[in-house]
């Protein structure tokens, strides 16, 4: 019965042993995996009280703090992990991610590169570095890392998603659609991938890519998963309806999108959606 799950196992280990830093850290991991970072933090603190140089506990503590939005504190723990174990590739990768959140992109790229120097076959580091490079306009190198990520691990969900986005922005929409679909094979409820693929299928001129009925299905699913609270997703669905000449649904959905964008102070998005809405009220589809 103690092996039923990680939470039960490590709770029992703590109950029947003393000063067990490993069990404290693993119980924190189990709680974090269940979506309870606040509860996890106490166990990471105890693990580090017992073993201050415990590199894995520092990294996992940092992850839990990051989930709580405490990025500066997370960075301190990632640095402590690296100080304790300089060749710890995962610590460099998480440090890089935290630095990127704080828009310290040069430092972030340096840490991603160090993670890959230590562990060249690290798909998560290739993914994050590739995405950051693409955001900085370094498309060639960024794509090289993103392709490396998905070639190393075909089920690298984020690798496929970020690669698809980069390809779409470069106008390589047929390839982009392939990688959005690959991300959805790994995680069928990936709302951003559902939305982005729906947009391509609804608005692309190439008949080899365009599929309006599938766009409506995917867009509807993205809106359902986000409880109809995401203005951009509703805008995509409204656009898909317009491409199918389903004008009442296009207008209603886009009105909902405009109201949410306005209520959440997304001024640029609200203006864009209002422009779409004017088209649909005159029965002019987005592509027109």
């Amino acid at each position: 019965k103690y092996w039923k799950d990680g939470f039960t196992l490590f709770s029992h280990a703590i109950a029947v042993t003393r000063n067990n830093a490993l069990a404290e850290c693993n119980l924190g991991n189990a709680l974090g995996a269940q979506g309870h970072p606040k509860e996890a933090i106490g166990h990471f603190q105890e693990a580090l009280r017992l073993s201050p140089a415990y590199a894995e506990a520092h990294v996992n503590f940092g992850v839990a703090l990051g989930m709580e939005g405490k990025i500066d504190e997370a960075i301190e723990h990632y640095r402590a992990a690296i100080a304790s174990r300089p060749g710890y590739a995962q610590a460099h990768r998480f440090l890089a991610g935290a630095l990127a959140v704080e828009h310290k992109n040069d430092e972030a790229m340096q840490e991603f590169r160090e993670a890959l120097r230590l562990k060249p076959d690290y798909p998560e580091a290739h993914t994050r570095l590739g995405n950051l490079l693409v955001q900085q306009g370094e498309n060639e190198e960024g794509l090289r890392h993103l392709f490396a990520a998905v070639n190393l691990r075909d089920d690298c969900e984020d690798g496929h998603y970020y690669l698809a986005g980069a390809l779409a922005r470069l106008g390589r929409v047929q390839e982009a659609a392939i990688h959005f679909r690959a991300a959805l094979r790994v995680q069928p409820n990936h709302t951003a991938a559902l939305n982005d693929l729906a947009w391509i299928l609804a608005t692309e001129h190439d008949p080899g890519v365009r599929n309006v009925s599938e766009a409506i299905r995917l867009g509807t699913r993205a809106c359902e998963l986000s409880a109809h609270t995401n203005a951009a997703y509703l805008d995509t669905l409204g656009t898909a309806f317009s491409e199918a000449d389903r004008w009442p649904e296009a207008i209603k959905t886009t009105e909902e999108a405009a109201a949410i964008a306005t209520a959440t102070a997304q001024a640029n998005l609200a203006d864009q959606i209002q422009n779409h809405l004017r088209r649909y009220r005159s029965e002019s589809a987005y592509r027109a």
Side-chain angles (χ1 to χ4, degrees):
K1 65 181 178 180
Y2 298 123
W3 292 81
K4 181 174 68 173
D5 55 42
F7 176 81
T8 304
L9 174 63
F10 297 118
S11 296
H12 177 66
I14 290 168
V16 299
T17 60
R18 295 181 62 190
N19 299 330
N20 193 333
L22 176 63
E24 292 285 356
C25 183
N26 286 335
L27 179 54
N29 291 341
L31 287 164
Q34 292 174 0
H36 303 295
K38 287 182 180 178
E39 292 87 340
I41 283 170
H43 293 284
F44 295 134
Q45 288 172 325
E46 179 62 10
L48 290 169
R49 185 188 70 78
L50 295 167
S51 181
Y54 190 174
E56 287 87 351
H58 277 297
V59 167
N60 295 328
F61 194 177
V63 172
L65 288 165
M67 291 170 69
E68 291 288 289
K70 300 175 180 178
I71 305 301
D72 289 338
E73 293 176 59
I75 287 173
E76 290 178 17
H77 283 282
Y78 299 141
R79 293 195 190 282
I82 292 166
S84 176
R85 192 198 302 172
Y88 193 1
Q90 188 180 43
H92 284 284
R93 194 265 286 188
F94 279 112
L95 173 57
L99 290 167
V101 169
E102 294 206 327
H103 305 291
K104 297 176 180 177
N105 293 331
D106 290 341
E107 293 178 71
M109 285 193 279
Q110 181 178 336
E111 293 296 332
F112 280 130
R113 293 187 196 283
E114 180 62 12
L116 288 167
R117 185 187 71 79
L118 294 164
K119 186 180 178 183
D121 58 343
Y122 196 169
E124 292 83 3
H126 279 295
T127 294
R128 300 297 171 181
L129 176 57
N131 188 49
L132 186 57
L133 285 163
V134 168
Q135 289 176 0
Q136 299 295 304
E138 301 288 341
N139 292 319
E140 185 176 346
E141 186 183 0
L143 285 174
R144 196 159 59 243
H145 283 286
L146 291 168
F147 275 114
V150 301
N151 288 334
L152 282 165
R153 211 185 79 210
D154 187 52
D155 65 347
C156 185
E157 169 193 337
D158 285 345
H160 283 294
Y161 175 71
Y162 291 129
L163 176 56
L167 291 167
R169 286 190 291 276
L170 292 170
R172 295 163 61 175
V173 290
Q174 197 158 23
E175 293 173 82
I178 290 169
H179 288 284
F180 280 131
R181 292 188 191 281
L184 289 168
R185 278 198 301 273
V186 181
Q187 174 48 269
N189 290 336
H190 192 310
T191 53
L194 287 165
N195 174 76
D196 295 353
L197 180 55
W199 181 267
I200 286 175
L201 296 177
T203 61
E204 177 53 39
H205 288 268
D206 183 349
V209 177
R210 182 174 168 79
N211 187 328
V212 175
S213 61
E214 187 183 6
I216 291 171
R217 180 178 64 79
L218 296 173
T220 299
R221 183 61 179 153
C223 290
E224 289 171 349
L225 289 168
S226 57
H228 293 262
T229 61
N230 187 303
Y233 295 176
L234 287 163
D235 181 41
T236 295
L237 181 56
T239 297
F241 281 136
S242 82
E243 293 291 336
D245 294 335
R246 292 168 60 172
W247 301 112
E249 292 156 292
I251 292 166
K252 180 177 182 296
T253 305
T254 309
E255 285 174 342
E256 290 176 19
I260 292 170
T262 301
T264 53
Q266 300 179 76
N268 290 338
L269 179 60
D271 288 345
Q272 173 185 301
I273 293 170
Q274 287 292 349
N275 286 334
H276 296 171
L277 187 56
R278 281 190 284 273
R279 282 184 176 275
Y280 307 157
R281 284 173 174 158
S282 62
E283 297 192 357
S284 174
Y286 174 83
R287 289 190 309 149

